[in-house]
Amino acid sequence: MKLPRITLLATLLLTAPAAAQLQIAPPVTTPSAPAEKLKPKPPAAAKKKEAAPAPKPSASPKPALPATVIPAPATDTPGVDLVYGAYQRGQYKTAFELATERAKAGDPKAMTMLGELYSNAMGIRRDYAKALEWYKRASDAGDREAMFAQAMLRMSGRGGPVDKGEAVKLMASSAKLGEPKAAYNLALLYLDGQTLPQDVKRSAELLRQAADAGLPEAQYALATFYKEGTGVPKDAERAVRLLQAASLADNVDAEVEYAIAMFNGTGTPKNQPAAVALLRKASRQGSAIAQNRLAWVLINGMGATADKIEGFKWHLVAKTAGKGDPDLDKQFSDLPAEDRAKAEAAARKWLGTK
């Protein structure tokens, strides 16, 4: 069975970015671009997504878990509003003090906030054991975000021993209550087939739940399911709609795949100028696949005005990220020395090695 590569939202497994196929037919005088297809995802694979600095925590360095997104509390709980407001502004010490007071009064959202602050070292020294304690109290009170956060700690063994069975139960409870990140990660466990028996149809159902809730990673993953016919019937048009939605949320892998679909007219009307624009965006965001594809279209003038200097700049940049291309290397060697020097200088400037 052919399984697509998808991107993990949380720290469960390890994977590389998905590859994509750009079916561009260059002029007869130039070699054709190599086809790069979505390859089956190895059983233990997924790309780690980490957390972001204030005001919205996301990329916390290892070993911190990704920040749990806590929804704004109801307007009839002004104490919690103050907690969340301080959190959003990056005033973590204030958030900690206010949340402690509310948590003592039994507020589950404040308990989840304390778990978040302890887990990600925000305004307080990192303490996974205390984070786990607060997440558990909030989970017992029915908070779905706390259930997901506790599941991730149980899965990784932070704050206590590894307990994958308990982690799966918490994740399932959180997903049942509508938490999209829990549904997404549970889908990956069903796809992986190690912690849970492999069930691609159940995986697709959970991905659909998370995608419908607007989670870009799930939208991209479900798009690959529809593209490959994994757990669902093949449907190129539906795949493209999902890729478009994820692209609008700045999911880089989805941007690359959506650009390729538009370039080739697969599941959507052909729109090469829009495709090239999206490849430019993904290239600037660091996608080596997009950089390689953008190099081809610029060097060969396909869907855009030919610009060999800019095209070979992106080829050289992609090459440093492991996306070398022998055909483009040959074309590069045939350039006049002055043009090669310009492309190399542009690549060095982009890479910050000038």
Side-chain angles (χ1 to χ4, degrees):
M1 179 182 297
K2 188 174 185 181
L3 299 180
R5 287 187 179 183
I6 56 180
T7 305
L8 261 185
L9 180 68
T11 313
L12 289 181
L13 313 165
L14 297 172
T15 194
Q21 182 180 8
L22 182 56
Q23 299 171 344
I24 299 173
V28 178
T29 55
T30 60
S32 59
E36 178 143 11
K37 299 181 180 179
L38 280 168
K39 300 181 179 69
K41 170 187 161 194
K47 173 181 168 187
K48 180 181 176 182
K49 178 165 182 175
E50 302 198 352
K56 268 191 178 177
S58 52
S60 174
K62 225 176 166 181
L65 286 173
T68 305
V69 179
I70 305 173
T75 55
D76 60 350
T77 52
V80 180
D81 282 341
L82 293 175
V83 173
Y84 187 67
Y87 176 82
Q88 285 186 309
R89 293 189 297 272
Q91 298 171 349
Y92 301 127
K93 289 186 178 179
T94 299
F96 179 80
E97 292 169 0
L98 294 172
T100 299
E101 182 180 349
R102 294 291 302 182
K104 288 178 180 177
D107 191 293
K109 287 295 180 188
M111 296 173 190
T112 301
M113 178 65 77
L114 288 175
E116 181 78 1
L117 297 174
Y118 273 117
S119 181
N120 292 283
M122 295 171 174
I124 193 72
R125 184 184 296 275
R126 179 175 288 118
D127 189 328
Y128 287 123
K130 287 184 179 179
L132 187 62
E133 178 184 341
W134 283 114
Y135 282 142
K136 185 178 186 310
R137 289 179 62 178
S139 297
D140 292 344
D143 187 79
R144 70 186 192 185
E145 286 81 18
M147 292 175 189
F148 173 66
Q150 187 190 169
M152 299 314 298
L153 288 178
R154 298 289 189 192
M155 185 69 71
S156 63
R158 291 170 178 160
V162 172
D163 190 339
K164 292 185 178 181
E166 179 65 15
V168 168
K169 289 178 183 178
L170 287 163
M171 213 175 288
S173 296
S174 179
K176 190 174 181 179
L177 291 172
E179 173 51 54
K181 295 185 300 297
Y184 175 72
N185 282 279
L186 194 59
L188 298 184
L189 293 178
Y190 276 113
L191 181 65
D192 178 67
Q194 292 190 354
T195 302
L196 291 170
Q198 189 177 73
D199 187 337
V200 293
K201 288 186 177 180
R202 178 60 179 150
S203 180
E205 290 170 359
L206 288 162
L207 287 176
R208 187 177 296 109
Q209 175 185 329
D212 289 346
L215 192 68
E217 292 82 3
Q219 291 166 342
Y220 170 71
L222 187 58
T224 67
F225 273 45
Y226 278 110
K227 180 179 177 180
E228 300 292 340
T230 303
V232 293
K234 279 190 177 184
D235 190 330
E237 291 184 3
R238 191 161 186 177
V240 167
R241 288 197 298 271
L242 286 161
L243 289 173
Q244 181 185 37
S247 296
L248 291 172
D250 292 328
N251 183 286
V252 180
D253 289 336
E255 288 171 356
V256 177
E257 296 254 12
Y258 183 44
I260 291 168
M262 285 194 293
F263 196 99
N264 297 321
T266 305
T268 186
K270 184 177 289 191
N271 188 340
Q272 292 186 344
V276 173
L278 196 52
L279 285 175
R280 287 185 188 275
K281 179 184 177 185
S283 294
R284 293 178 184 131
Q285 291 172 300
S287 169
I289 296 170
Q291 291 161 358
N292 172 266
R293 300 308 189 263
L294 182 60
W296 268 100
V297 300
L298 292 177
I299 291 166
N300 296 295
M302 298 177 292
T305 303
D307 186 339
K308 291 185 181 294
I309 304 301
E310 180 74 3
F312 281 114
K313 177 196 87 170
W314 286 118
H315 163 60
L316 295 173
V317 171
K319 192 173 180 178
T320 66
K323 284 295 171 186
D325 193 315
D327 291 328
L328 291 184
D329 281 339
K330 174 63 169 60
Q331 291 189 54
F332 183 66
S333 68
D334 292 338
L335 275 182
E338 183 180 354
D339 287 346
R340 287 201 305 272
K342 288 179 180 178
E344 288 169 346
R348 286 196 300 270
K349 183 177 180 180
W350 174 263
L351 293 167
T353 58
K354 185 175 181 179

